[in-house]
Amino acid sequence: MTTPTPESEQRETSVAAVFHLAWPVMVSMLSYTAMSVIDTLFVARLGTAPLAAVGLAAIVVFFTQSFGAGLMGGVRVLVSQATGAQDPATAARLGWQVGWLALPLGVAMSLMSLAPPDIFFVLGAEEQVAEYADRFFSIRILGAPLVLLNIGVSAYFQGRGDTVTPMQATLLGNGINLALDPLLIFGLWGFPALGVAGAALATITAMGVQVVYLAYRAWPHLKDAPKSGDKHLLRAILDMGVPIGVRYTLDMGSFVVFSSMITHVGAIELAAHVIVVRICSVSFLPGHAVGEAAGVLVGQFIGADRPHLARPVVRSAIKLAVGIMASWGAVFMLIPELLIMPFDTEPAVTQVASSILLVAAAFQLFDAIVMAVTGGLNGAGDTRWVMMISLLGAWLIKVPGAYVGVFIFELGAMGAWAAFTTELTILSAILLYRLRGKAWLRGAALKPTG
């Protein structure tokens, strides 16, 4: 084996190295987000109530699936460490564990389809909005097993350093969703007009196609590995992934509470909030992709017993994420109306959404830092600390701050988003302090099972 030189190590931890791994993840996540954005664009033509309902229901769907999605993050961390340790046998065994975790958990989540629409009334939705939201949710949640399989198998590929295959799967799925949305929502070419239910059904179908494609691509790597559940590996995934899953769930739960406060203000504020969330997801997910790429590289360096390269690669990830998201912030400030225009909504919604985008522009910088550093810490196995600090920020800063902004100062959605910005500002400072120390590099790497 060639001994690494300072020059080669600089290349391995450079912004270019992070971008090389991150750009397919960016495309994948943007494509996945595009499914929701496309749904929103089509549903917006049904009216303000359906638009607000789909946005609210999608948040509840993400909340329901967030623990499983976070749990699959443990697969990514451990596969990256096994890959860095040049242990493909363990990586392949980890790939099979995805099914043993995703299928039973996904089926359990899909049972939420039987829940009554009361949850949307609790969140403050008006009767018409709640009815539309329940119609969308009861179908969309049935796809939970497909969603978790998609996330888990994608995590396996990403941990190996292959971010292109998941990108191809999401692009394929997005094409299917784009084709089916107008057919199922509006009833074109002889298809029944299903409205918001059609949007949910189109997304489920697209997810199914993605899983088939990923399974086809994974089979050559996994066919010779034991297919049974492995207690050692399952326990390792749970140890690493449960803190991520808990963080995702409670953080998403805080966002549900955050959104419900806006819901109480009225359908116009909620519809504007939904539009801004969809727009921000375009800037948010590239930053998240950079964090995931940093986590994979950190995990591989830890597995290869080269932890001294972990901090430099996270710093490169920060530079890349800040560059992307600061650019989006400038776009939010300069042309908010053009970003809102495709949603074809009423003037009152456009006015509120434009104001929220100005606030959203301010937190792009801090959100970039949070995602880049969080990804790196998770890759080193520092998932419990990340969970703790993230939940403290969500529930002690964002939620109380949103309450003050919405109900005390009566600033509506603007007040809630100002609280969101405050949370990210404080978190970014704490995470940068953690990055400077050495405690985050003490996460235990997975030991080969032979």
Side-chain angles (χ1 to χ4, degrees):
M1 177 183 291
T2 303
T3 302
T5 63
E7 292 78 13
S8 67
E9 289 185 342
Q10 285 182 356
R11 288 193 297 271
E12 289 180 277
T13 61
S14 66
V15 171
V18 176
F19 182 76
H20 177 75
L21 196 62
W23 77 261
V25 185
M26 292 182 198
V27 175
S28 298
M29 292 183 168
L30 285 170
S31 181
Y32 179 78
T33 301
M35 289 189 187
S36 297
V37 173
I38 290 168
D39 288 346
T40 304
L41 289 171
F42 281 116
V43 170
R45 285 156 175 77
L46 299 176
T48 298
L51 171 62
V54 168
L56 184 61
I59 291 172
V60 178
V61 169
F62 293 147
F63 170 69
T64 305
Q65 297 174 348
S66 55
F67 177 78
L71 185 62
M72 294 303 149
V75 175
R76 182 185 301 105
V77 173
L78 295 175
V79 171
S80 69
Q81 292 184 358
T83 300
Q86 299 184 9
D87 183 11
T90 296
R93 290 186 185 182
L94 285 162
W96 280 111
Q97 307 315 303
V98 169
W100 289 97
L101 289 171
L103 286 174
L105 186 57
V107 170
M109 290 177 183
S110 68
L111 297 178
M112 287 288 292
S113 176
L114 303 175
D118 297 31
I119 182 174
F120 299 106
F121 291 115
V122 172
L123 293 175
E126 301 166 359
E127 183 174 358
Q128 188 179 24
V129 171
E131 290 176 358
Y132 280 121
D134 180 64
R135 198 175 306 167
F136 180 89
F137 175 81
S138 61
I139 296 176
R140 182 71 170 76
I141 196 63
L142 291 175
L146 297 174
V147 171
L148 295 188
L149 282 172
N150 180 47
I151 295 172
V153 182
S154 295
Y156 163 75
F157 277 110
Q158 291 164 357
R160 295 179 69 247
D162 177 4
T163 54
V164 173
T165 297
M167 177 192 70
Q168 294 170 340
T170 53
L171 289 174
L172 176 62
N174 199 49
I176 298 295
N177 186 69
L178 177 61
L180 290 179
D181 257 345
L183 302 180
L184 297 177
I185 293 174
F186 304 116
L188 302 180
W189 294 357
F191 283 82
L194 301 176
V196 296
L201 187 58
T203 301
I204 290 177
T205 304
M207 283 290 174
V209 173
Q210 287 183 218
V211 170
V212 171
Y213 179 79
L214 287 170
Y216 170 75
R217 294 298 303 272
W219 177 249
H221 304 287
L222 305 181
K223 63 181 180 180
D224 297 326
K227 302 173 179 59
S228 59
D230 185 307
K231 292 182 179 179
H232 170 72
L233 295 180
L234 288 171
R235 187 179 302 111
I237 293 172
L238 292 173
D239 287 345
M240 199 68 72
V242 166
I244 302 176
V246 171
R247 176 170 67 90
Y248 280 9
T249 301
L250 295 182
D251 197 25
M252 195 65 209
S254 74
F255 195 75
V256 171
V257 175
F258 174 88
S259 299
S260 72
M261 295 181 194
I262 300 173
T263 303
H264 281 83
V265 180
I268 289 177
E269 295 272 336
L270 177 59
H273 167 69
V274 169
I275 289 172
V276 174
V277 168
R278 292 289 181 261
I279 294 172
C280 283
S281 65
V282 177
S283 67
F284 162 85
L285 287 180
H288 187 69
V290 171
E292 295 295 343
V296 170
L297 290 172
V298 168
Q300 291 182 356
F301 289 141
I302 295 294
D305 198 23
R306 301 167 71 194
H308 63 285
L309 299 182
R311 189 178 291 107
V313 84
V314 176
R315 288 173 176 163
S316 293
I318 293 172
K319 294 176 184 178
L320 180 58
V322 167
I324 295 171
M325 296 185 66
S327 299
W328 274 110
V331 172
F332 290 176
M333 294 178 65
L334 294 174
I335 52 170
E337 292 84 4
L338 289 180
L339 297 175
I340 299 165
M341 187 183 301
F343 294 92
D344 192 27
T345 188
E346 57 185 280
V349 176
T350 299
Q351 183 178 0
V352 175
S354 297
S355 300
I356 299 174
L357 274 177
L358 295 178
V359 179
F363 77 55
Q364 296 297 303
L365 172 65
F366 304 107
D367 202 15
I369 296 171
V370 168
M371 287 186 288
V373 180
T374 295
L377 299 186
N378 281 335
D382 198 24
T383 58
R384 286 179 173 80
W385 187 89
V386 172
M387 174 190 70
M388 178 189 69
I389 198 65
S390 298
L391 297 183
L392 288 176
W395 290 95
L396 296 184
I397 301 174
K398 179 169 63 186
V399 171
Y403 181 87
V404 171
V406 172
F407 298 114
I408 304 300
F409 291 111
E410 298 182 349
L411 297 175
M414 281 280 290
W417 279 77
F420 202 171
T421 304
T422 302
E423 177 209 6
L424 292 172
T425 303
I426 296 173
L427 277 182
S428 63
I430 295 173
L431 287 164
L432 287 173
Y433 181 79
R434 179 73 169 182
L435 183 65
R436 292 178 57 188
K438 297 180 179 179
W440 66 282
L441 290 171
R442 296 170 188 160
L446 177 67
K447 302 302 180 184
T449 58

